[in-house]
């Protein structure tokens, strides 16, 4: 399938979103690393009409949407975006509302904030809103952007629970269906800061066809054509490739027992590195061997 849209998936920053500075102008030089040097600035630049693109901030995953939404509007306005608003969807019936669907239809970008990804999928999954979202991503010059929960929910398979410290005990990582924009990957966020590598290991050993993507904070991936991934932001992206796994004890152990995995391949991406989901080849932009 020739995907026309783009994904921008972000590892998250603080729990309340990624832009909670109240004294924005005075502290802009200190507070805008995430935006000016990285991800939100790139989001605007990649959008259909640049600074004039219609951007809808969707706060469904959050329990404090009225606080988070305006902070994103403020951040995007500060970077020059002139057509930004918050689309509040807190119940499933709102995802069927003709006015809500009309706003999605007119959007060039949707930005899903952080929170609880299970809240996001349980409210939007299987609704006309979700159907339109997928169709716009596949067929239009449209961007789905998500940070934290919004990133985790973008794929067909979604991690929604799992202790970092016990992630390699069988059954500790819980997986369900996501919003279904991209297949063949599973995404985890706040990855480096919360030590979640074990969660991806368990997700991948259960189905080595799926590429594990671990996004650090202040870090994201820009995915074009549904296959070409570019690291953006200041941190790290960890990829877990299970296709060459040689052995595991996964089916021989009881729930709660440690998992063994032989020959699990990992890659580490930083800003401007690329990875092709068709060939599984990574290119380091500043390689020492070029």
């Amino acid at each position: 399938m020739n995907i026309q849209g783009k994904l921008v998936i972000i590892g998250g920053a603080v729990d309340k979103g990624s832009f909670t500075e109240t004294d924005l102008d005075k502290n802009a030089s200190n507070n805008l690393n995430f935006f000016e040097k990285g991800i939100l600035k790139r989001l605007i630049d990649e959008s259909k009409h640049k600074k004039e693109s219609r951007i809808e901030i969707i706060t469904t995953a959050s329990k404090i949407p009225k606080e988070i939404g305006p902070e994103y509007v403020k951040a995007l306005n500060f970077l020059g975006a002139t057509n930004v608003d918050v689309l509040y969807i807190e119940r499933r019936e709102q995802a069927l509302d003709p006015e809500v669907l009309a706003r999605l239809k007119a959007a060039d970008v949707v930005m899903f904030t952080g929170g609880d990804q299970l809240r996001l999928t349980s409210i939007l999954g299987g609704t006309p809103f979700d159907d339109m979202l997928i169709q716009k991503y596949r067929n239009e010059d449209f961007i789905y952007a998500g940070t934290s929960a919004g990133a985790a929910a973008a794929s067909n398979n979604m991690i929604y629970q799992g202790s970092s410290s016990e992630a390699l005990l069988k059954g500790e990582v819980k997986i369900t269906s996501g919003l279904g924009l991209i297949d063949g990957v599973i995404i985890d966020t706040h990855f480096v800061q919360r030590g979640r590598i074990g969660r991806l290991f368990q997700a991948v050993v259960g189905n080595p066809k799926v590429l594990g993507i671990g996004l650090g904070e202040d870090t994201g991936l820009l995915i074009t054509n549904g296959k070409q991934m570019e690291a953006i932001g200041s941190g790290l992206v960890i990829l877990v490739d299970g296709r060459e796994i040689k052995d595991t004890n996964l089916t021989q152990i009881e729930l709660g027992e440690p998992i063994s995995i032989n020959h699990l391949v990992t890659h580490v991406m930083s800003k401007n590195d690329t990875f092709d989901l068709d060939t599984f080849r990574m290119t380091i932009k500043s390689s020492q061997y070029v």
Side-chain angles (χ1 to χ4, degrees), residues 152 155-159 175-178 182-187 210:
S155 56
N156 276 356
N157 300 294
M158 179 185 81
I159 296 173
I175 298 172
T176 188
S177 298
I182 184 170
D183 198 10
V185 302
I186 192 163
I187 301 160
V210 175

Side-chain angles (χ1 to χ4, degrees), residues 199-214:
R199 301 201 332 175
L200 271 194
F201 285 173
Q202 181 161 172
V204 169
V205 74
N207 185 357
K209 180 181 178 180
V210 175
L211 178 73
I213 298 175

Side-chain angles (χ1 to χ4, degrees), residues 165-174 202 249-250 252-260:
S165 61
E166 298 180 344
L168 275 174
L169 302 181
K170 183 176 177 178
E172 282 297 318
V173 177
K174 307 296 190 295
Q202 181 161 172
N249 63 350
L250 183 65
Q252 303 303 113
I253 58 176
E254 300 296 326
L255 289 175
E257 293 186 340
I259 300 170
S260 301

Side-chain angles (χ1 to χ4, degrees), residues 7-284:
L7 294 179
V8 177
I9 52 174
I10 307 160
V14 299
D15 290 343
K16 291 167 62 179
S18 300
F19 197 90
T20 57
E21 308 300 339
T22 55
D23 200 359
L24 173 60
D25 294 296
K26 183 183 294 185
N27 295 310
S29 60
N30 296 325
N31 297 333
L32 283 176
N33 178 65
F34 179 81
F35 302 98
E36 285 207 303
K37 295 182 181 178
I39 298 166
L40 285 195
K41 180 67 164 57
R42 183 66 181 272
L43 175 67
I44 295 169
D45 292 343
E46 290 287 339
S47 66
K48 184 176 181 179
H49 301 296
K50 312 304 184 209
K51 292 181 179 180
E52 297 177 0
S53 291
R54 179 60 182 166
I55 303 174
E56 294 282 8
I57 309 300
I58 300 176
T59 56
T60 305
S62 176
K63 293 181 179 178
I64 48 171
K66 297 297 193 295
E67 184 175 342
I68 289 179
E71 295 296 340
Y72 276 94
V73 174
K74 187 191 300 182
L76 288 160
N77 287 164
F78 190 88
L79 294 177
T82 59
N83 193 7
V84 187
D85 206 349
V86 184
L87 182 53
Y88 295 106
I89 306 173
E90 299 173 37
R91 302 183 308 277
R92 280 185 68 82
E93 55 264 33
Q94 290 176 280
L96 286 68
D97 187 321
E99 183 178 336
V100 169
L101 294 174
R103 286 179 61 174
L104 175 59
K105 185 175 182 179
D108 301 304
V109 179
V110 292
M111 175 76 191
F112 284 80
T113 68
D116 181 351
Q117 54 262 46
L118 197 58
R119 178 176 169 80
L120 187 57
T121 55
S122 65
I123 290 174
L124 296 181
T127 65
F129 188 95
D130 189 20
D131 293 341
M132 183 182 292
L133 190 68
I134 293 170
Q135 290 306 311
K136 282 179 70 72
Y137 167 66
R138 290 177 177 173
N139 302 312
E140 299 179 22
D141 185 359
F142 171 76
I143 297 178
Y144 172 103
T147 183
S148 189
S155 56
N156 276 356
N157 300 294
M158 179 185 81
I159 296 173
Y160 70 91
Q161 187 177 327
S163 163
S164 298
S165 61
E166 298 180 344
L168 275 174
L169 302 181
K170 183 176 177 178
E172 282 297 318
V173 177
K174 307 296 190 295
I175 298 172
T176 188
S177 298
L179 293 177
L181 282 90
I182 184 170
D183 198 10
V185 302
I186 192 163
I187 301 160
D188 209 353
T189 59
H190 302 279
F191 193 71
V192 177
Q193 291 77 3
R194 299 187 187 178
R196 288 179 167 174
I197 187 99
R199 301 201 332 175
L200 271 194
F201 285 173
Q202 181 161 172
V204 169
V205 74
N207 185 357
K209 180 181 178 180
V210 175
L211 178 73
I213 298 175
L215 300 169
E217 295 180 3
D218 192 16
T219 308
L221 284 173
L222 168 66
I223 305 176
T224 55
N225 305 317
K227 62 180 181 180
Q228 190 69 24
M229 306 197 303
E230 177 190 346
I232 56 179
S234 66
L236 300 175
V237 179
I238 312 296
L239 304 179
V240 179
D241 178 1
R243 295 174 308 149
E244 297 182 30
I245 289 174
K246 298 184 184 303
D247 198 6
T248 178
N249 63 350
L250 183 65
T251 62
Q252 303 303 113
I253 58 176
E254 300 296 326
L255 289 175
E257 293 186 340
I259 300 170
S260 301
I261 310 170
N262 181 12
H263 208 263
L264 185 61
V265 176
T266 60
H267 308 278
V268 181
M269 300 174 70
S270 60
K271 189 175 181 180
N272 299 324
D273 294 344
T274 59
F275 188 90
D276 191 304
L277 287 169
D278 278 351
T279 63
F280 271 58
R281 293 196 62 176
M282 177 178 163
T283 301
I284 296 178

